[in-house]
Amino acid sequence: MAYSFPEEVLEHVFSFLSSDRDRNAVSLVCKSWYDIERWCRRRIFVGNCYAVSPEIVIRRFPELRAVEMKGKPHFADFNLVPEGWGAYAYPWIAAMAEAYPFLEEIKLKRMVVTDESLELISKSYKNFKVLVLTSCEGFTTDGLASIAANCRHLRELDLRESEVEDLSGHWLSHFPDSCTSLVSLNMSCLGSEVSFSALERLVARSPNLRTLRLNRAVPLERLANLIRRAPQLVELGTGAYSAEIRSDTFSNLADAFSACKQLKTLSGFWDVVPSYLPAMYSVCSGITSLNLSYAAIPSSDLVKLINQCQNLQRLWVLDYIEDSGLDALAASCKGLQELRVFPSDPFGAEPNVPLTEQGLVSVSEGCPKLESVLYFCRQMSNAALIAIAKNRPNFIRFRLCIIDPQAPDYLTLEPLDTGFGAIVENCKELRRLSMTGLLTDRVFKYIGSHAKKLEMLSVAFAGDSDLGLHHVLSGCDSLRKLEIRDCPFGDKALLANAAKLETMRSLWMSSCFVSFGACKLLAQKMPRLNVEVIDERGPPESRPEGCSVERVYVYRTVDSRQRLDRPDFVWTLDEDSSLRYS
Amino acid sequence: MPADLNLRLGLPGSDQTDVDAAKSNKRASPEKAEDTASNGVPAAKSADDHETAPAPKAQIVGWPPVKSYRKSTAAAVKKAEAESGMYVKVSMDGAPYLRKIDIKLYNGYSHLLTALEDMFKLSIEREGYKGSEYAPAYEDKDGDLMLVGDVPWEMFMSSCKRLRIMRGADARGLGCAQ
């Protein structure tokens, strides 16, 4: 090649490319670009840990500094994936410990991480900086102690929403006095009390600390001292927000807050005593993100707080806010982009608060920038959904959960097909949709016709026949993740759209009508898909071929070997359709 | 859909009605997924079953889709409310200062009224308005003044924000207590 650039020049050019998509495109241009790119790629994102093996990754990208990975399918959050299914981090950690001595960042979501893995991380990477474990499990506070003690340059330790076996709060005291590099600490999911003096000293010697999310065990009386030592905080998660009402505690707290000029995000707020909320008012005008989803605060107090936060962009709140509170939100917070309303009493059959579809209609009307919604309520109507769709064609994420999963339009008793149809028709940029309520095949027809940018769809207790599933698989051009539970979808649609499944990350179907025979056929037809039958009733062959499997999880993979870490209730099927099980 | 992929759900010979029944089976009671005959065909429902109300949804696994740490928060909130007591102010017409009581401590209206009588050293109307004694009233969530005793005790506990013991003459028009 007469005119090829020297490698160094190309590498330099590629260094400006941060998105995976761009880098993947670059690597397809020609063999030499592929080679140059793979040597200079520093960050990867693996959306499904079983889509590829550690060996393949290490072989292709020898110089990684940051790895981000996801394990279990989303429905694992709701206990639909049996314990022991997989997503173990250890094989990855062990392989990377050998291959990447300069690794700096590990971010895992929905994976099983052991203390052994954490210890290995803490001892293998001299320059380790960032550990983010989202919705992970399998480790104890002993593992955290290893990280704290050994990672000399640790910047981020974020355990958001992980299930940690909390042996004691002593782990925090393992941060050596020489550790001054912390930028972010999120321990909100932990139960035990840590040593408050150790925590205060840690905060005091971390001048770069931007994010501090405390756990519930840190009492309100301690909060002022902590934030006084970190007035540069941008994100704060309080501990329990309750104390005996005393004016000195209040003024101490208010003073401390007023020094935090950079605060943008607030969360925590367990056990709130509303009288202490005004202590935060001085920072409210700068707050853009507020997570009150653990706080049982009466609507009137919520409204007073929200009225102070004129620049709010994101609000997570319990349904104690009521329709009236959402009206106030719509009036005050014109910059609102994301709203999540969680149920205070998810298992109660009757409404415990006056929160209905009306609240969502108000917010959709009043907040022109609203693009992302997660809303739990107990009644919905087509009229409301149509109004919401017309008000807010800019929705990107729309997740609606009606507590009764097959609730019809409460006004007309019809299915909610036309309502959700209006959503997908008007919201042309919709990327994520979750639906509930009485829904027929018709809603799937609308989705297949209109939801061309939809990437993730969650369906429960909906549809009449395979046609529903077929509409989605054949029509949704951008679909990457489809998760379905308790729908009468089965073999026909699955097999007719087998090729589509290779263009997606994964498909989850539980309590549907997929037969074992169809799973075998699918695996035969599509060798680059892993078809996992997850069934706790014993070998699928012991039942007739027409019998429905409990769950099937289909995902594309470049790792041609079968999963070696399968538990005995996972049956994978390979090309010659012979059953493999442990 | 291509015709060659005409897979069937049931055994050869089973007809479409079984599949239809299975669909309505699925919709009516999702938690009965195990309710299949031994040959794997979802049990055909009799006409009666189509007409019965759907089974209560409370037992569905993983529903509503709330992450486990949120469930325990909601439960903890309820528990905290349960443990923290429900203190409401009690005013008596003509008295210089108010009192506070924890409604949770009482197991019913007569228990509450007896306690109030003891606290204020007076006697309270129980049955019917006679116009001479005190009548118990309360302020509910909407701010309305209501006569004590009309609604079930549990509902009263959750809606009562404040108690007011009214002089008989002022209580005219509130009607009869149960």
Side-chain angles (χ1 to χ4, degrees):
Chain A
M1 267 246 232
Y3 298 109
S4 57
F5 286 124
E7 273 187 27
E8 300 78 31
V9 174
L10 279 172
E11 244 192 68
H12 183 67
V13 172
F14 295 166
S15 69
F16 293 99
L17 298 173
S18 52
S19 104
D20 282 344
R21 240 185 215 161
D22 291 341
R23 281 189 164 262
N24 291 346
V26 149
S27 62
L28 289 174
V29 167
C30 63
K31 280 206 172 106
S32 73
W33 279 39
Y34 175 93
D35 230 8
I36 296 168
E37 193 283 317
R38 76 185 187 89
W39 277 95
C40 69
R41 190 170 315 200
R42 298 283 175 263
R43 327 186 66 95
I44 56 160
F45 169 74
V46 177
N48 172 3
C49 62
Y50 290 119
V52 69
S53 72
E55 292 71 34
I56 295 174
V57 171
I58 291 169
R59 193 168 57 226
R60 180 167 173 190
F61 300 116
E63 301 269 327
L64 292 181
R65 298 277 185 275
V67 173
E68 188 180 339
M69 191 173 309
K70 295 187 180 179
K72 298 187 204 174
H74 174 239
F75 272 176
D77 286 353
F78 317 125
N79 299 327
L80 293 180
V81 178
E83 191 80 33
W85 171 79
Y88 302 105
Y90 189 79
W92 286 91
I93 308 286
M96 295 192 304
E98 295 234 2
Y100 301 129
F102 300 112
L103 194 68
E104 295 176 0
E105 289 185 23
I106 294 178
K107 297 183 183 175
L108 305 175
K109 184 169 184 177
R110 283 193 208 97
M111 294 191 74
V112 178
V113 182
T114 55
D115 284 349
E116 216 185 349
S117 299
L118 291 177
E119 205 178 316
L120 195 53
I121 291 174
S122 75
K123 302 224 163 102
S124 310
Y125 310 114
K126 300 295 162 233
N127 211 22
F128 195 71
K129 297 201 170 99
V130 172
L131 181 64
V132 178
L133 301 174
T134 307
S135 303
C136 293
E137 49 163 355
F139 59 104
T140 78
T141 41
D142 285 351
L144 298 179
S146 311
I147 298 285
N150 300 318
C151 299
R152 306 271 139 156
H153 307 284
L154 194 68
R155 288 217 206 123
E156 283 183 44
L157 178 59
D158 186 333
L159 306 169
R160 54 183 90 156
E161 302 174 12
S162 289
E163 261 182 56
V164 185
E165 195 186 324
D166 205 324
L167 302 172
S168 88
H170 196 56
W171 65 275
L172 188 91
S173 309
H174 284 255
F175 278 110
D177 289 341
S178 54
C179 175
T180 57
S181 47
L182 265 187
V183 172
S184 169
L185 177 63
N186 179 354
M187 44 182 255
S188 54
C189 61
L190 296 177
S192 320
E193 219 175 71
V194 298
S195 150
F196 298 132
S197 55
L199 181 56
E200 277 175 24
R201 286 198 311 273
L202 179 62
V203 170
R205 66 175 183 273
S206 305
N208 299 317
L209 194 67
R210 292 277 172 276
T211 299
L212 178 64
R213 298 200 202 261
L214 304 167
N215 64 345
R216 193 175 186 167
V218 178
L220 191 58
E221 292 91 342
R222 291 272 174 183
L223 187 61
N225 280 347
L226 280 166
I227 59 185
R228 257 209 194 91
R229 284 164 169 73
Q232 75 282 7
L233 277 179
V234 176
E235 301 185 329
L236 172 69
T238 73
Y241 206 77
S242 71
E244 239 182 80
I245 302 189
R246 296 171 49 140
S247 54
D248 54 351
T249 314
F250 183 94
S251 48
N252 205 12
L253 189 58
D255 269 344
F257 267 117
S258 61
C260 296
K261 309 275 186 222
Q262 327 254 27
L263 214 46
K264 292 236 170 318
T265 300
L266 286 171
S267 60
F269 299 108
W270 289 278
D271 316 316
V272 173
V273 164
S275 316
Y276 275 104
L277 290 173
M280 300 189 309
Y281 281 1
S282 60
V283 296
C284 283
S285 58
I287 294 296
T288 55
S289 172
L290 192 52
N291 182 351
L292 298 169
S293 60
Y294 300 111
I297 305 176
S299 177
S300 49
D301 294 294
L302 276 171
V303 169
K304 287 197 207 120
L305 178 59
I306 285 168
N307 283 338
Q308 301 284 325
C309 303
Q310 308 273 334
N311 289 312
L312 204 57
Q313 291 170 13
R314 182 198 300 179
L315 177 65
W316 292 19
V317 74
L318 284 168
D319 56 10
Y320 291 126
I321 192 170
E322 303 181 5
D323 285 341
S324 55
L326 291 174
D327 288 339
L329 178 68
S332 291
C333 302
K334 294 304 185 186
L336 194 70
Q337 293 170 18
E338 178 180 326
L339 174 66
R340 296 196 191 189
V341 179
F342 295 97
S344 53
D345 185 16
F347 303 109
E350 295 304 315
N352 61 323
V353 286
L355 179 111
T356 67
E357 81 283 7
Q358 198 43 52
L360 187 55
V361 174
S362 293
V363 180
S364 71
E365 232 171 70
C367 300
K369 299 206 174 140
L370 188 67
E371 59 179 26
S372 175
V373 158
L374 168 60
Y375 199 78
F376 283 81
C377 60
R378 285 187 161 83
Q379 65 187 37
M380 187 48 63
S381 65
N382 284 310
L385 283 170
I386 292 169
I388 291 165
K390 296 228 159 86
N391 288 335
R392 278 292 61 79
N394 47 322
F395 273 130
I396 295 178
R397 278 170 230 105
F398 189 78
R399 297 159 70 187
L400 181 70
C401 180
I402 309 172
I403 299 288
D404 173 2
Q406 287 175 319
D409 175 329
Y410 77 100
L411 296 169
T412 64
L413 297 186
E414 283 173 1
L416 291 171
D417 299 336
T418 42
F420 280 105
I423 296 280
V424 290
E425 201 175 345
N426 284 291
C427 305
K428 306 213 190 299
E429 300 298 314
L430 196 67
R431 294 203 303 252
R432 183 169 180 181
L433 177 66
S434 305
M435 312 188 291
T436 33
L438 186 64
L439 297 163
T440 72
D441 282 347
R442 220 171 329 129
V443 74
F444 297 105
K445 186 152 187 246
Y446 297 144
I447 292 174
S449 320
H450 295 288
K452 296 304 180 187
K453 301 246 175 104
L454 193 67
E455 296 178 9
M456 182 169 179
L457 178 64
S458 309
V459 184
F461 304 102
D464 308 310
S465 74
D466 269 41
L467 213 45
L469 179 57
H470 176 67
H471 285 311
V472 171
L473 288 176
S474 58
C476 295
D477 299 333
S478 311
L479 198 62
R480 292 189 301 116
K481 289 179 277 185
L482 179 57
E483 48 184 23
I484 300 172
R485 62 164 295 181
D486 294 276
C487 296
F489 299 150
D491 302 342
K492 283 189 204 169
L494 200 56
L495 291 170
N497 292 282
K500 170 75 174 178
L501 298 179
E502 228 184 72
T503 69
M504 292 165 53
R505 180 186 296 173
S506 65
L507 165 69
W508 170 278
M509 293 178 72
S510 54
S511 305
C512 296
F513 285 139
V514 179
S515 73
F516 183 57
C519 294
K520 284 199 288 194
L521 257 177
L522 183 62
Q524 245 178 335
K525 242 188 134 182
M526 310 292 305
R528 283 188 298 193
L529 291 180
N530 265 3
V531 180
E532 288 191 18
V533 171
I534 303 167
D535 202 317
E536 293 172 286
R537 297 171 298 178
E541 290 145 330
S542 62
R543 289 178 292 279
E545 284 226 352
C547 184
S548 304
V549 299
E550 279 180 348
R551 308 167 194 82
V552 59
Y553 184 44
V554 183
Y555 53 89
R556 63 181 176 190
T557 178
V558 296
D559 185 0
S560 54
R561 311 162 310 175
Q562 295 300 313
R563 271 182 62 183
L564 298 171
D565 59 358
R566 287 191 307 283
D568 57 14
F569 53 80
V570 172
W571 320 84
T572 55
L573 304 145
D574 68 3
E575 279 160 60
D576 56 35
S577 212
S578 59
L579 183 61
R580 294 269 173 83
Y581 55 91
S582 36
Chain B
M1 275 187 279
D4 55 322
L5 286 170
N6 200 12
L7 289 183
R8 323 213 50 221
L9 268 184
L11 293 177
S14 62
D15 60 16
Q16 193 59 18
T17 55
D18 281 338
V19 180
D20 286 332
K23 283 182 232 152
S24 40
N25 180 11
K26 196 51 101 174
R27 280 154 94 28
S29 47
E31 66 273 24
K32 293 207 177 104
E34 300 82 44
D35 198 5
T36 57
S38 57
N39 64 0
V41 177
K45 290 291 212 174
S46 69
D48 296 316
D49 290 333
H50 283 298
E51 278 145 26
T52 55
K57 303 283 190 292
Q59 308 308 317
I60 303 175
V61 171
W63 193 269
V66 175
K67 291 185 187 168
S68 51
Y69 62 86
R70 286 200 182 281
K71 281 187 228 169
S72 43
T73 303
V77 163
K78 284 191 124 172
K79 193 163 169 288
E81 281 175 353
E83 288 168 0
S84 65
M86 276 178 168
Y87 282 92
V88 297
K89 290 184 191 168
V90 187
S91 61
M92 185 177 95
D93 290 351
Y97 50 78
L98 282 61
R99 303 296 301 271
K100 247 192 174 164
I101 59 168
D102 180 358
I103 310 186
K104 283 252 173 65
L105 295 178
Y106 307 103
N107 53 26
Y109 285 119
S110 75
H111 193 189
L112 171 68
L113 293 176
T114 308
L116 288 174
E117 286 178 325
D118 282 339
M119 192 181 255
F120 290 97
K121 309 285 180 264
L122 42 73
S123 74
I124 295 180
E125 304 266 3
R126 302 294 180 116
E127 243 136 62
Y129 161 61
K130 295 192 183 68
S132 54
E133 301 185 317
Y134 286 87
Y138 71 99
E139 201 178 293
D140 71 359
K141 277 184 196 164
D142 300 322
D144 296 322
L145 194 62
M146 316 284 292
L147 186 69
V148 167
D150 287 333
V151 301
W153 174 250
E154 280 70 27
M155 197 185 287
F156 166 75
M157 280 211 293
S158 58
S159 53
C160 172
K161 292 295 157 223
R162 193 182 164 123
L163 279 163
R164 184 176 155 194
I165 302 177
M166 300 177 73
R167 248 190 293 266
D170 299 331
R172 195 185 316 240
L174 276 181
C176 298
Q178 286 296 305

